[in-house]
Structure formats: structure tokens, C-alpha cells
Amino acid sequence: MLPVYQEVKPNPLQGANLCSRVFFWWLNPLFKIGHKRRLEEDDMYSVLPEDRSQHLGEELQGFWDKEVLRAENDAQKPSLTRAIIKCYWKSYLVLGIFTLIEESAKVIQPIFLGKIINYFENYDPMDSVALNTAYAYATVLTVCTLILAILHHLYFYHVQCAGMRLRIAMCHMIYRKALRLSNMAMGKTTTGQIVNLLSNDVNKFDQVTVFLHFLWAGPLQAIAVTALLWMEIGISCLAGMAVLIILLPFQSCFGKLFSSLRSKTATFTDARIRTMNEVITGIRIIKMYAWEKSFSDLVTNLRKKEISKILRSSYLRGMNLASFFSASKIIVFVTFTTYVLLGNVITASRVFVAVTLYGAVRLTVTLFFPAAIEKVSEAIISIRRIQNFLLLDEISQRNRQPPSDGKKMVHVQDFTAFWDKDLQLLEDGDLTVIGDRGTTLSGGQKARVNLARAVYQDADIYLLDDPLSAVDAEVSRHLFELCICQTLHEKITILVTHQLQYLKAASQILILKDGKMVQKGTYTEFLKSGIDFGSLLKKDNEESEQLPVPGTPTLRNRTFSESSVWSQQSSRPSLKDGAVETQDTENVPVTLSDENRSEGKVGFQAYKNYFRAGAHWIVIIFLILLNTAAQVAYVLQDWWLSYWANQQSTLNVTVNGGGNVTMKLDLNWYLGIYSGLTAATVLFGIARSLLVFYVLVNSSQTLHNKMFESILKAPVLFFDRNPIGRILNRFSKDIGHLDDLLPLTVLDFIQTLLQVVGVVSVAVAVIPWIAIPLVPLGIVFIFLRRYFLETSRDVKRLESTTRSPVFSHLSSSLQGLWTIRAYKAEERCQELFDAHQDLHSEAWFLFLTTSRWFAVRLDAICAMFVIVVAFGSLILAKTLDAGQVGLALSYALTLMGMFQWCVRQSAEVENMMISVERVIEYTDLEKEAPWECQKRPPPTWPHEGVIIFDNVNFMYSLDGPLVLKHLTALIKSREKVGIVGRTGAGKSSLISALFRLSEPEGKIWIDKILTTEIGLHDLRKKMSIIPQEPVLFTGTMRKNLDPFNEHTDEELWNALQEVQLKETIEDLPGKMDTELAESGSNFSVGQRQLVCLARAILRKNQILIIDEATANVDPRTDELIQKKIREKFAHCTVLTIAHRLNTIIDSDRIMVLDSGRLKEYDEPYVLLQNKESLFYKMVQQLGKAEAAALTETAKQVYFKRNYPHIGHTDHMVTNTSNGQPSTLTIFETAL
């Protein structure tokens, strides 16, 4: 199979030189492109060979397999962590050296800062030696700054790559495992869980590698700093360190709480996404049943629980950020209060060396170290979840058979014939893009694609699981004769079927009941022994003419009862299984719109909507004021210290003239103000954090509810056009961002932005001249940011659009698991998955490198600022005092990491606002008609059940083709109408029009009320439908029958008894309150169909619609369903879409549709008299015996209905030569 993406641009990093690697110059061409136009997928560089999904996955898989073996030998549980460590420890260890150099530089900086301030304290204009030394110190300071700027980013880039590799390898392994899960294992896990492993759990690896090294660097740095502080200010440094150490457990305690809340939230999120998945998959049914409100309540409740947990964890985060923000203040406060109270004298150099040293260690100890602990614990939880998944049972991998000798394709021509008619109906023939899980194909078309795919495989043994039931009689016969009997005639074929007319052609017949074999033999043997099979099959007189000729295929047929195990899967001959061979994107026709990437900047409108969704504008104004107050208190606290030190030194100088006595300042006054400012900083910091989180989480809740409401009200077309993955992505990833990352990022951004503003204002206040170089630096920065964002925004969008295919491939693989295995397509699916992953890696790689490119340049701007401040203050030494210089310089140094962090966060906020935009985009989708209108039908409506179609045209979308054309028909009260027609004739569309799944043109009346004039719920609740693919939802059986609790237990049990499910349900552990497996997969299709029938019985509506309800069930269940429908719904108007003509031959009238037009509409017997009629032809195709039987039934029904008092069987002279029963004329007078 070809690789999915060819001709990628080679990666320039491979040939880049050292300088280019350090400064990321090799990315410049990409930025130029991004500046000129929007980036597309072709602009991305190919993945480095060592980052390819297959290579990484197989490497880690190897270590894991070894680990599993080792564990088996030592009788232990294998540990995934050990496998990971063995795989990656070498490459990761090297990066530790970077950390060491970087952290040392951070500790050296403050020492030189102290020396410069010292120069100011002992300032002597005449002393040029001191000045030169000071210049030397300033130079060392700036060199340190530059080293930090460069090293930091190289290090980050490499650890993030390490994280990426680990994540990719994990995804590869998870997918590989998913393809091999055994049946038992599939029961223990759900699609939602596997998708969650792939979307959330593996992302922890991206984060954990960044912080891991700080687990050892943190403590080391703390020790070094303590030593330096001891030399500087003696014993009082211990007080500060003590605070730092106390803050640590406090924070790790937060971390523990946080991760426990996290896992609780995760279970709610899992449940919510699983429910969403079902809602979106079953949306047609939900709409037809008018069950939206029930699901809305379900999701709202889950969401409430989830949000309450999220709020709690957000408050914890807020406290954490606030404590980080004010930690340095508290530490410095405690240190100097102790220092002063011990009787020491404050000096500027001591103050600012201490402040800067604490600043250096604080980042590591209060941010990186706890983050490392938190990320490691999160990663361990994720690893445990993944490990449990990887340890689930697999199906045994048998050795693959060698391919059969030389005979390849068999009469491929024969089987394409029956597709051709359909391929012509599809606009683009065989290039038509099929919606997610084949939504755009009818049931029969899906079945045939499935069969065609099987025949194409050219296998030796064919297991056909009832492929004939979803198609109409003509096609069914065509398939059977040309495909199964001719094309496959040299193959061993096992056909599971409910269509007994084909048994004659079988060489062996096997009858199963309740999973046991009842009987086995040939057709003739069965007829002789006359088993229950004989009663199922109308005894027919013409075995003679169709006995298998020697050389016809050996077919072993099996007829199945409702409790068959196999039929579970057969209900979904879905195309999604085969969505494997997706085509390249250039020839994608209109059906599926590409996911739109919004372009350009995120508008102000989005921010306004986002904040307004969370709180009233008065609250928002208060929030702004609170933030400002917090920052002012923050700066004032430091300024007070420098002021204090200056007062102290001026005192020292004046007194020194008279005699060497150090005067004490009024301690209470200075300490009092200092304490007050510190307290204010802390309180404001905490208040603002909590308020920001409160507003933003609230906003996420509001937006989610609006989006969900809007999705429920969207027309069905929307769900056909957008694949499930895309809609789910909004609910999982985007809402996840709004809940989790966005509030944190916004708060972080606000804090750092205010700090940057504070730093610059302090510097300008001290040395007004700094404003001059600030202007060009500012201009450079603004251009740089704009230039960067043009590209980065596209990269980020590419990253999220290339991520979707990974998930949709995974979920379609899980849904089509059986098909993939049956066709041995695992290899191919795995390759496709790797190709999707590689495409995503291309985008992710650019995302990492472009952000580093930017950060290096930002830190260069900051380094310039530090240089200007350092040398500027030395040049202007006359006018400055030590305290001011200390304040300005120590602030300038903190700017280094902080400024670029601030800008990165601002870009992050903008990027994440895309999630907000995407959610807001889904909050106002086009809506269906309202659920309730002013005009409410009377409660008893429709009690006649008359349906009139008056010149109805119907199409699914405004620009789509007409699927019903000028349909006019009258269905009388209590009539039973059968609807027949070839696949794609518009049978299901008729029902869509009746339910207004899309608005029909023309008029449809039900009991004198125009359907388009009343609300959708009023309309849909009054019609019952038994759908083609029976849908059950996760939840209890009770919820599945009666989501609104409108019925008593007794009524529910009665309904279940009617459909013979009472025993089955009573055997379940919780009876009706047993939780069903995901989408009811623990019931067979037949049983699910019966549940749908029970729903219809409960609703007691006047109009019942049956959509090929019995296509996938065996004759016995079929008979039961037919019997129930005739009994229970005798007084109702019933419309039945059927493929098996025997189910509708006794209808009052038959509607024959062909390509959207009503061709014939009359009583079955009347239609059968006309040899030219389509219906006559359909019946004849069933074979002589079947046709005769059907005609006989039609005739009996006809006379029973029209001439009830004539025993017509004796003297009935039917002269059929003129195509009309002449009986009409004979008995006219007698009546």
C-alpha cells in the first residue's frame, strides 16, 4: 500500500549547522512563507527519521514485550514504567547537563549584582579602579544573562522532543493493542476509554519530560543558594528557607488533592463524552423519538458533577498560583524581619542579593519542583491506565496461511455488474466520498459495498453474515445467483441467512437455535423429515427444477434464532469499518465539508463573549481593579525595602562625620508598613486568582450548555455533513481547554503581564533615560510578535486539524474491528495510523520549534534591556543611590524568563481562544424548526391517523438533489401500507419527510393538521418508529424504554412480555435497572429490535412506521414482530418499508417508489394482476414457488377485505387474461 502522504519537504534541521541550531535560524524560510500566506499541510517539513511513529512504536514495543516476558518468568506483574525507562534513559540523561549549567548560572548572577550595588553604596566619583571593576562585573552579569537565554531554549526543545517521542510510541502501542483485543477485553473497555487514553493520557508524557530533571536540580540549587545567603546575611537566611520548605509540602499537598480531584473529574468526563458519542451516533433516532430533553438532562447532570469537581480543582490551582506569586514576598519579608529584629542593619546590596537569590531558587523550588512531582504523579496514573489496557487479553495470532496458488481475482466483472446501477446514482461514481460510517449510503448499499469488499479479497473461505437481508428482493436474488453462486462457486462459502428461499442451492444446511445445533443435512433430507424448517419454508412443489446441479457452489446455510451471538455484529454492516482506504484530500467531493480553520486573529468579539458568558460586566470591572491593586501592592513592597535601605545609609553617612555611631531608624514604623504591604500583596493575590477562575469556569459551563443545546436543535443534515469525530472534538478537546487550560493560562498571563509592566515602570522611574532605548526595543518586540503569530497560529491550527484524523481513524477502527480482522487489514490500518501520527508529528514538531525560535529572540530583547539598565546605571552613577539601582537591576533580571513567558502565554491565550471560537461557532448552528410552536395540536391528535402527501418534494440539503419528486398520496385511517422499491428509491426519505428531519416542500397533512405548522416534538412524539438499525443507549433498560418516566413498572413489564423479552430481562442482575453495555451491545440485533418494538407499544400512537425493521432478524423473531404489529397496531395507521415482500403482501395497499417518484400505489393483488407493474416483477424475481405463494396470500387478503361474506375459494372464476379479476363483474349484482 502506498504511503498516505508522499512528497514531503525534507527537514532542514538535518543539514543545519551549529549556529543555526542554537538560534533556530533554519526555521526562517518557514516564517517567510507564513508571513506571505496561510500555511498548508504541504508546507510542513517531513518527520525526522528517528521521530517516525512506526520506528518509535516498534522500539518501545520491543522493550515492553521483553518486560512482559521477564515478568512472566519472575511471576510478577510487568511494569510499563520499567520498559519506558529502559528505552529512553540514555538520551534523557544527557539533557541533565544542560540543567546543571543553567541552574548554576542563575546562582552566579546575584553575586555580581551584589558587587555592582556595592559600588554604589561606597560610591566615590574619584575612584576609577572601582568603576572599571564595576564595568567588569556588569559585563559578567550580561554574559550570564545571554548564556541563560540560549541554553534554556535548547534544553526545553530537546526535552519536549523526548516527550513527543514517548507519546508517539505510546499511541502506536495503544492502537496496535486495540486491533488485537479479544472479545472479553472489548467488554472490559469502551471506545470512549480508548479514545481518552489516546487524547488525554498520552499528553501527560509531553509535559512530564520537561520537568523531570528538576527533581534533582531543585534540591541541589536550594542547598547552593542557602550557602550563599549564609555568607551574605548570616543566620536569618534560615528563616526565609524555612518558609520555602514549609511552602513545599503545602504545595505538594495541593498537588495530591489536585490529582485525586483530577481522576474523579476524568470519570465524569469519560461518562459525558461517552454519552455525547451515543447522542451524536444515535441522533436520528433521538430526533424521531423526540427524546432530546431526556438526553439533555442526562448530559447536563453529568456536566454539573464534572463542573463542580473542576471548580474545586481550579480553586486549588488558583491558590497554588497565588502562593507562587506571593511566595517570594513572604520569604523576603520573613528573612528581613528576622534580620532587622536580630539587630542588624539593612543595606541595599544585602537586600537585593537576597531578593535575587530567592528569586532564582523560588522558581525552581516552588514552580518546577512541585510541577515535576505533580506531572510525575499524573504520568504514573496515566501509565497505570495504559498498562492495564496493554495487559488486556488479545486474540491468539494464528500463523497466516500462505496465499493460494496463482488463481487471483475470480470473475470480478460479474460482481461489479450489480453495483453499476447504484454507482451511476452517486454523483462521483466510485470516487464519491462516503460520510462517517457510511451515512450517505442506504442500508442496502452499505451491505453491497461490504460484500464487494469481501469478494475482492479473493479468499478461500467466505463467511457471509446475512448480506442479503438489507437489500430488496431483486438485488438479493441477483447477489445470490451472480455473486454467491457464480463468482464464489469454487470457494467454500458459509452463508448465514434468514432468507429461506435460497436454501435449495445449499449443499449442507445447519439449523441453529439458542446457540445449539438443532439439525444438519441437505435440503432434500429436510423436506423428507419435515422438521420445523418445513413449516418455516412454504412447502414448495418445484424442488425438481432447482436442485443443485453438480458443480454449483457448496453452500452451508445456517438459519439463526434471535439469540444468536453472531448477529450482534451483523446489524452494523457499516462502512466505517472500511473507511480505511480514505482518499487523498484533493478529490474530496462536496459531501463532507473539510473542517474549517478560522483564519487571522482571534477577534475582540470572542474575548467579549467569553468573559460575558462567565459573569456580569460589573464583576469584570471589579476583577480589573482587583488585579491592578494586587500589582501595586507587589511593587510597593519591594520599593519600601529599597527606601528603607536608603534612609539607613544616609543616616550612616551623616553620623559618620561626627563620630562612628550607627543610628537606628524607628523600626516599628518601617516594619509596620512593610508588614501591611506584604499582607496586602498576599490577600489581593489570592482574591484575584479565585475570582478569575470562578468567572472563567462559569463561562465554560455556560458555553458548553449553549453548544449542547444548539447541537440538539441542529438538523440531521448537520450530522451527516460533519463526522462524529469533529463534533466530539468540540465536546472533548475544546471544552477540555475551556475547563482546564484556558482559565489557568489567562490567569497566568494576567499575572505575568502586570509584573512585566511593573518591572518596566520601576526601571523608568529610577532612570528615566531608559525610556529612550525602550522605544526601539518595544517596536522590535511588537513586530516580532506579530510576525511570529502569523506563522504560529497556522501551525497551531494545523496541529489541531491533523490531530482529528488520528482519532477518527481510531474510532472507526474500533467500530469496524471485526471487519478489519476478517480482512486481515490490521497491518494496513496500523500503517495508516502511523501515517496519520506522522502527519500530526510534523505539525507538532513545528509547533515546538517555532515557539523556541520566538523565545530565543524575546530573551535577546530582555538581555538588551538588562545591558541597558546595568551600563546605564553605571554611566549615571552620580545621580543614583544604591537602593534604586538594586531595585531596577534585580527587577530587570527577573524579566529574563518572565517576559518571554508572558508573551508566550499571550500567544497561548490567543491560540486557546480558538477553542472558544470553535465552541461559539457551534453555539449558533442553523436550527431545526422549534420543538413547540404557538399552534399546539389537540392532545388526542391524531386519532384518525390519515396521512396526505400533497405534491411533496424532499431534499436533504438546500443544494442537494431531490430525493422525493412530486409525491402525492393519501393514506387512509388505520390503513396498513407497504412501501417497496429498489435500494435508494427514496423509501427512507419518505419517512424523513414525514418526521421533518429536513423540511419538505409541498404539504403533508396528518388528520387535517399541516405537519409544518406545529412544533417538531408535537409532531414526532405522535408517530412511533421502529428503525432499521435498532439503537439502544448506555443506561438502564428502563431508561431505554421510557426515558421520561412516563409509565409505571407494570406497563413496562407488560410491554416486555408482549415482545417476549421479559425472561431475558428478569435474568439480568438488576432486572430493568441493569446498566447496558455501550450502545446495548450485550443484546443481539433481534433483541434490540424487539426493544424498539416495545418502545412503540408503550407509546400507543396512532401512526406507526417500520423501517425494514426485520431486515436483520431471523424468521422466528420476524414472525413474532409481524404478529405483534398486526395485533397491537390493528387500529393504527402503519407504514412499513420492506425488503421481504412476504412481510407486506397482506398490506391494504402497496406504494412502489422508484428514484424518488411514486410509480404505483394500490392493493397488492391489483398490482399483481398487471404484468407490467414493477411490483409484479419484484414478486416474480423471488422464484416461482415464492411468487405463487405471495400471489395466493394477496388474493386471499383482497377477497377477505373486499367481499368478506363470500367463501371465495370454491367457485371463484378468475379470468386473469385481461389483467383484472373478472370476479368483480360477476358479483357486482350479488352485492
Side-chain angles (χ1 to χ4, degrees):
M1 185 179 161
L2 288 172
V4 194
Y5 312 100
Q6 300 101 340
E7 301 159 34
V8 217
K9 288 166 87 173
N11 199 321
L13 179 60
Q14 282 169 300
N17 60 22
L18 182 68
C19 229
S20 171
R21 278 169 190 250
V22 169
F23 294 107
F24 296 93
W25 282 336
W26 53 272
L27 273 170
N28 290 351
L30 183 84
F31 279 98
K32 283 190 189 121
I33 297 174
H35 176 62
K36 285 187 197 128
R37 62 174 170 81
R38 182 171 122 162
L39 288 180
E40 298 300 341
E41 286 184 9
D42 324 343
D43 297 317
M44 303 196 299
Y45 300 128
S46 66
V47 187
L48 294 171
E50 63 267 26
D51 290 344
R52 288 206 172 278
S53 172
Q54 189 183 357
H55 162 76
L56 291 169
E58 284 167 1
E59 182 184 25
L60 186 55
Q61 184 71 46
F63 281 101
W64 170 240
D65 292 340
K66 278 184 207 148
E67 171 61 25
V68 174
L69 278 176
R70 186 200 62 80
E72 272 174 16
N73 299 339
D74 305 355
Q76 291 171 330
K77 201 174 168 201
S79 145
L80 183 55
T81 320
R82 181 176 290 154
I84 292 173
I85 292 171
K86 277 190 180 152
C87 186
Y88 293 109
W89 70 274
K90 285 186 189 135
S91 54
Y92 194 67
L93 202 64
V94 179
L95 298 174
I97 302 168
F98 277 101
T99 317
L100 194 65
I101 300 173
E102 188 185 340
E103 297 309 317
S104 318
K106 276 191 187 160
V107 176
I108 297 168
Q109 259 183 337
I111 303 174
F112 290 99
L113 174 74
K115 304 280 186 207
I116 295 175
I117 300 175
N118 252 337
Y119 166 74
F120 280 93
E121 281 179 334
N122 314 318
Y123 178 63
D124 176 2
M126 301 289 81
D127 190 349
S128 60
V129 179
L131 183 63
N132 292 339
T133 331
Y135 275 123
Y137 287 144
T139 313
V140 175
L141 191 66
T142 50
V143 169
C144 261
T145 314
L146 288 171
I147 288 179
L148 268 179
I150 291 165
L151 263 187
H152 180 74
H153 302 298
L154 273 180
Y155 165 72
F156 254 73
Y157 163 64
H158 284 295
V159 284
Q160 281 176 312
C161 277
M164 172 180 87
R165 289 187 188 123
L166 177 53
R167 183 195 71 224
I168 293 171
M170 272 300 175
C171 289
H172 175 99
M173 282 170 70
I174 292 171
Y175 183 77
R176 178 172 175 272
K177 181 71 183 188
L179 289 183
R180 299 172 177 216
L181 288 179
S182 69
N183 257 354
M184 283 282 294
M186 284 304 278
K188 287 184 197 152
T189 176
T190 63
T191 313
Q193 250 172 326
I194 301 177
V195 172
N196 208 359
L197 287 181
L198 217 56
S199 62
N200 293 331
D201 288 315
V202 294
N203 289 352
K204 303 287 183 278
F205 300 127
D206 274 325
Q207 301 159 348
V208 71
T209 49
V210 174
F211 295 112
L212 201 55
H213 278 307
F214 287 103
L215 283 177
W216 59 266
L220 259 180
Q221 198 189 28
I223 294 167
V225 167
T226 315
L228 286 172
L229 277 172
W230 185 277
M231 283 147 58
E232 197 64 45
I233 52 177
I235 193 122
S236 27
C237 73
L238 293 182
M241 276 314 195
V243 176
L244 200 58
I245 306 299
I246 291 166
L247 278 176
L248 260 184
F250 185 59
Q251 277 192 314
S252 61
C253 192
F254 269 176
K256 281 278 188 317
L257 262 172
F258 183 69
S259 58
S260 76
L261 276 173
R262 188 72 226 196
S263 54
K264 281 182 194 149
T265 318
T267 46
F268 288 128
T269 312
D270 270 357
R272 173 174 63 86
I273 290 173
R274 190 181 61 226
T275 314
M276 279 310 305
N277 192 2
E278 291 194 346
V279 169
I280 297 165
T281 322
I283 192 79
R284 270 203 142 74
I285 303 298
I286 293 177
K287 284 187 177 301
M288 287 182 175
Y289 284 147
W291 276 3
E292 291 103 335
K293 294 218 176 74
S294 150
F295 279 97
S296 168
D297 295 345
L298 188 62
V299 172
T300 312
N301 285 336
L302 284 168
R303 181 73 180 150
K304 272 205 186 105
K305 291 178 186 160
E306 185 190 2
I307 276 283
S308 72
K309 291 273 177 281
I310 287 174
L311 250 181
R312 282 168 56 191
S313 58
S314 293
Y315 284 158
L316 276 176
R317 277 187 156 165
M319 292 293 289
N320 223 351
L321 258 178
S323 73
F324 167 69
F325 171 75
S326 47
S328 56
K329 299 297 168 206
I330 301 174
I331 295 168
V332 173
F333 170 72
V334 172
T335 308
F336 282 106
T337 310
T338 321
Y339 185 68
V340 172
L341 291 178
L342 287 175
N344 297 313
V345 173
I346 265 185
T347 71
S349 61
R350 287 193 180 130
V351 170
F352 290 108
V353 168
V355 168
T356 319
L357 276 173
Y358 277 132
V361 75
R362 181 199 60 145
L363 258 182
T364 316
V365 174
T366 63
L367 188 71
F368 295 148
F369 186 66
I373 292 174
E374 181 190 339
K375 299 296 177 204
V376 167
S377 60
E378 276 184 6
I380 286 171
I381 292 175
S382 292
I383 287 179
R384 196 173 304 138
R385 281 176 58 151
I386 293 172
Q387 176 178 310
N388 292 341
F389 175 70
L390 291 179
L391 288 174
L392 290 171
D393 293 340
E394 298 189 6
I395 45 173
S396 47
Q397 297 283 329
R398 303 229 167 69
N399 292 337
R400 304 268 162 94
Q401 293 292 316
S404 57
D405 46 317
K407 284 187 190 165
K408 279 285 165 282
M409 301 294 169
V410 186
H411 312 301
V412 177
Q413 255 20 64
D414 290 353
F415 89 76
T416 38
F418 59 82
W419 230 142
D420 286 348
K421 302 172 196 161
D422 277 287
L423 281 179
Q424 285 149 22
L425 291 176
L426 301 173
E427 301 167 42
D428 300 293
D430 59 353
L431 287 183
T432 309
V433 166
I434 294 155
D436 210 11
R437 303 191 19 254
T439 41
T440 49
L441 296 183
S442 69
Q445 286 167 324
K446 289 188 211 175
R448 282 175 302 171
V449 171
N450 233 335
L451 187 60
R453 193 164 48 193
V455 177
Y456 210 76
Q457 285 280 323
D458 189 33
D460 299 328
I461 299 180
Y462 279 87
L463 305 173
L464 304 178
D465 187 357
D466 203 7
L468 303 175
S469 62
V471 295
D472 51 74
E474 179 197 352
V475 176
S476 161
R477 179 162 177 185
H478 181 117
L479 291 180
F480 184 75
E481 290 173 358
L482 293 188
C483 177
I484 296 175
C485 297
Q486 249 183 310
T487 311
L488 300 180
H489 83 114
E490 293 176 353
K491 315 284 192 180
I492 299 173
T493 308
I494 296 179
L495 173 70
V496 179
T497 186
H498 307 315
Q499 318 253 349
L500 305 171
Q501 67 264 30
Y502 299 128
L503 294 187
K504 309 186 208 61
S507 42
Q508 276 279 7
I509 301 171
L510 194 63
I511 299 184
L512 299 191
K513 184 173 175 183
D514 295 333
K516 299 192 181 62
M517 181 180 86
V518 188
Q519 203 73 30
K520 167 171 184 263
T522 61
Y523 184 72
T524 6
E525 285 168 27
F526 276 136
L527 282 185
K528 284 179 192 140
S529 57
I531 315 175
D532 124 332
F533 161 93
S535 65
L536 292 174
L537 189 71
K538 308 283 184 303
K539 277 264 197 323
D540 54 53
N541 331 333
E542 38 151 24
E543 320 125 54
S544 49
E545 59 170 283
Q546 283 200 348
L547 273 181
V549 196
T552 45
T554 47
L555 274 185
R556 304 193 179 76
N557 273 40
R558 311 195 292 177
T559 41
F560 261 35
S561 78
E562 69 228 23
S563 54
S564 84
V565 200
W566 268 59
S567 54
Q568 279 187 35
Q569 263 8 62
S570 74
S571 73
R572 294 173 282 191
S574 83
L575 241 204
K576 181 117 183 229
D577 319 351
V580 180
E581 311 104 304
T582 38
Q583 301 146 347
D584 268 355
T585 35
E586 57 277 350
N587 51 15
V588 172
V590 213
T591 345
L592 283 185
S593 50
D594 263 351
E595 179 153 14
N596 40 356
R597 304 189 300 177
S598 38
E599 288 189 48
K601 288 185 62 138
V602 176
F604 172 70
Q605 200 55 34
Y607 289 96
K608 199 180 107 195
N609 291 344
Y610 179 48
F611 279 98
R612 287 289 289 108
H616 198 268
W617 56 267
I618 299 179
V619 180
I620 294 169
I621 289 176
F622 175 66
L623 189 61
I624 295 171
L625 293 174
L626 191 64
N627 272 305
T628 322
Q631 188 55 41
V632 170
Y634 186 91
V635 173
L636 277 181
Q637 195 229 22
D638 281 332
W639 178 81
W640 188 254
L641 261 184
S642 88
Y643 172 73
W644 186 353
N646 282 343
Q647 294 304 91
Q648 186 69 59
S649 63
T650 46
L651 262 179
N652 291 357
V653 174
T654 41
V655 174
N656 283 356
N660 215 347
V661 194
T662 304
M663 293 276 294
K664 285 284 167 64
L665 292 170
D666 177 4
L667 259 189
N668 293 346
W669 157 246
Y670 281 97
L671 257 185
I673 296 253
Y674 187 41
S675 319
L677 285 172
T678 307
T681 307
V682 176
L683 287 176
F684 282 144
I686 290 175
R688 88 161 155 198
S689 293
L690 299 188
L691 193 58
V692 167
F693 271 115
Y694 171 74
V695 171
L696 297 188
V697 172
N698 224 353
S699 147
S700 158
Q701 167 70 316
T702 316
L703 288 175
H704 171 274
N705 292 350
K706 274 194 187 157
M707 168 160 82
F708 183 53
E709 199 177 308
S710 140
I711 285 277
L712 281 182
K713 289 192 168 142
V716 171
L717 173 73
F718 172 78
F719 297 92
D720 291 345
R721 286 212 162 151
N722 295 295
I724 296 184
R726 186 181 302 169
I727 304 174
L728 258 187
N729 213 348
R730 297 282 200 285
F731 281 96
S732 50
K733 183 160 168 256
D734 293 327
I735 286 287
H737 274 172
L738 265 68
D739 285 347
D740 218 35
L741 294 171
L742 191 54
L744 188 68
T745 318
V746 167
L747 179 57
D748 208 1
F749 168 62
I750 293 173
Q751 289 204 106
T752 40
L753 175 70
L754 287 170
Q755 280 184 297
V756 169
V757 171
V759 169
V760 174
S761 352
V762 165
V764 172
V766 172
I767 315 172
W769 292 108
I770 284 190
I772 297 168
L774 262 182
V775 174
L777 279 180
I779 291 171
V780 168
F781 157 65
I782 286 166
F783 272 105
L784 193 61
R785 179 173 186 274
R786 197 177 281 159
Y787 186 63
F788 165 69
L789 283 181
E790 285 171 335
T791 303
S792 109
R793 215 176 270 122
D794 280 345
V795 167
K796 190 78 178 152
R797 288 192 178 124
L798 281 171
E799 191 269 322
S800 51
T801 46
T802 51
R803 174 177 291 186
S804 297
V806 178
F807 292 127
S808 42
H809 182 68
L810 171 77
S811 67
S812 49
S813 305
L814 289 171
Q815 284 177 325
L817 202 50
W818 299 110
T819 315
I820 291 176
R821 284 180 191 163
Y823 291 123
K824 301 215 170 40
E826 292 98 338
E827 291 279 304
R828 198 166 59 190
C829 288
Q830 183 76 56
E831 276 169 27
L832 247 141
F833 181 75
D834 287 337
H836 287 316
Q837 280 241 83
D838 285 341
L839 188 66
H840 178 240
S841 300
E842 289 176 15
W844 184 255
F845 173 77
L846 284 187
F847 169 63
L848 294 185
T849 47
T850 47
S851 54
R852 287 300 136 202
W853 177 92
F854 186 43
V856 166
R857 280 150 186 72
L858 281 188
D859 271 354
I861 292 182
C862 290
M864 298 294 238
F865 182 69
V866 172
I867 294 171
V868 167
V869 176
F871 286 101
S873 55
L874 286 176
I875 295 168
L876 302 171
K878 290 189 195 60
T879 56
L880 303 175
D881 50 37
Q884 289 173 315
V885 174
L887 190 58
L889 253 182
S890 63
Y891 265 30
L893 285 179
T894 59
L895 201 55
M896 276 301 298
M898 194 165 58
F899 180 57
Q900 65 106 356
W901 180 245
C902 172
V903 178
R904 292 265 309 286
Q905 288 302 65
S906 80
E908 262 310 281
V909 168
E910 264 199 55
N911 277 334
M912 278 187 202
M913 286 304 288
I914 292 171
S915 284
V916 174
E917 274 190 336
R918 284 165 52 119
V919 168
I920 289 178
E921 177 194 347
Y922 270 27
T923 54
D924 52 349
L925 298 169
E926 60 165 314
K927 290 185 170 48
E928 293 185 298
W931 289 344
E932 272 94 20
C933 281
Q934 296 311 114
K935 181 172 178 183
R936 304 290 300 260
T940 55
W941 174 86
H943 74 233
E944 296 296 318
V946 179
I947 304 175
I948 301 173
F949 290 95
D950 180 6
N951 194 14
V952 174
N953 288 328
F954 183 71
M955 44 188 163
Y956 283 107
S957 61
L958 293 171
D959 46 2
L962 280 175
V963 281
L964 290 180
K965 301 162 194 155
H966 309 296
L967 185 97
T968 303
L970 158 68
I971 296 170
K972 298 190 192 119
S973 176
R974 301 185 188 166
E975 246 187 341
K976 311 288 177 276
V977 176
I979 303 175
V980 294
R982 287 204 36 147
T983 313
K987 301 187 294 282
S988 297
S989 307
L990 184 74
I991 288 179
S992 300
L994 201 51
F995 275 100
R996 286 172 61 198
L997 290 183
S998 175
E999 293 296 324
E1001 292 172 18
K1003 296 180 175 152
I1004 301 178
W1005 305 79
I1006 297 181
D1007 277 13
K1008 306 198 179 85
I1009 287 191
L1010 193 57
T1011 55
T1012 40
E1013 283 182 358
I1014 54 174
L1016 290 180
H1017 276 189
D1018 288 336
L1019 171 67
R1020 292 172 182 169
K1021 279 195 167 125
K1022 297 297 184 180
M1023 297 187 283
S1024 306
I1025 180 156
I1026 301 180
Q1028 184 173 0
E1029 295 192 358
V1031 178
L1032 296 189
F1033 298 100
T1034 309
T1036 59
M1037 188 47 126
R1038 179 190 310 275
K1039 265 264 181 265
N1040 263 300
L1041 288 171
D1042 176 27
F1044 296 106
N1045 295 328
E1046 295 167 322
H1047 303 280
T1048 61
D1049 266 19
E1050 191 180 359
E1051 291 176 298
L1052 295 181
W1053 282 117
N1054 286 345
L1056 286 171
Q1057 185 154 18
E1058 294 283 353
V1059 296
Q1060 301 185 1
L1061 279 177
K1062 194 172 175 186
E1063 294 79 51
T1064 321
I1065 305 292
E1066 279 180 331
D1067 293 345
L1068 295 175
K1071 306 252 189 321
M1072 249 189 311
D1073 295 317
T1074 315
E1075 286 284 329
L1076 302 184
E1078 193 166 11
S1079 45
S1081 50
N1082 43 2
F1083 286 105
S1084 75
V1085 189
Q1087 289 170 317
R1088 282 184 274 180
Q1089 201 75 67
L1090 291 172
V1091 173
C1092 291
L1093 179 58
R1095 286 175 187 159
I1097 292 176
L1098 276 174
R1099 287 183 95 152
K1100 300 193 180 64
N1101 281 337
Q1102 198 54 41
I1103 298 178
L1104 172 69
I1105 291 154
I1106 302 165
D1107 185 358
E1108 302 182 5
T1110 52
N1112 295 319
V1113 293
D1114 57 288
R1116 179 159 306 150
T1117 313
D1118 190 0
E1119 217 165 286
L1120 168 71
I1121 292 181
Q1122 296 304 334
K1123 183 165 143 263
K1124 281 298 160 209
I1125 288 169
R1126 290 185 187 26
E1127 274 174 31
K1128 282 277 154 197
F1129 301 105
H1131 299 300
C1132 307
T1133 306
V1134 182
L1135 303 178
T1136 312
I1137 291 187
H1139 280 159
R1140 301 184 186 176
L1141 298 179
N1142 61 338
T1143 57
I1144 51 138
I1145 197 71
D1146 57 349
S1147 306
D1148 297 337
R1149 290 206 270 173
I1150 291 211
M1151 208 182 254
V1152 184
L1153 294 175
D1154 191 49
S1155 3
R1157 296 182 187 278
L1158 179 60
K1159 293 289 190 192
E1160 297 162 14
Y1161 182 40
D1162 210 331
E1163 301 190 34
Y1165 187 55
V1166 176
L1167 290 177
L1168 285 175
Q1169 297 314 309
N1170 175 4
K1171 296 280 194 311
E1172 294 306 304
S1173 75
L1174 289 170
F1175 186 62
Y1176 175 79
K1177 290 176 185 152
M1178 288 174 132
V1179 172
Q1180 291 311 310
Q1181 273 165 345
L1182 295 174
K1184 279 188 194 158
E1186 184 78 358
L1190 286 180
T1191 313
E1192 182 55 36
T1193 316
K1195 181 168 156 186
Q1196 288 177 16
V1197 172
Y1198 178 77
F1199 284 108
K1200 194 185 283 176
R1201 181 174 306 127
N1202 294 332
Y1203 315 111
H1205 54 284
I1206 297 176
H1208 56 277
T1209 31
D1210 333 320
H1211 53 268
M1212 182 52 60
V1213 196
T1214 328
N1215 169 13
T1216 43
S1217 58
N1218 60 358
Q1220 281 298 332
S1222 51
T1223 21
L1224 289 176
T1225 45
I1226 303 174
F1227 291 103
E1228 202 72 302
T1229 48
L1231 288 172

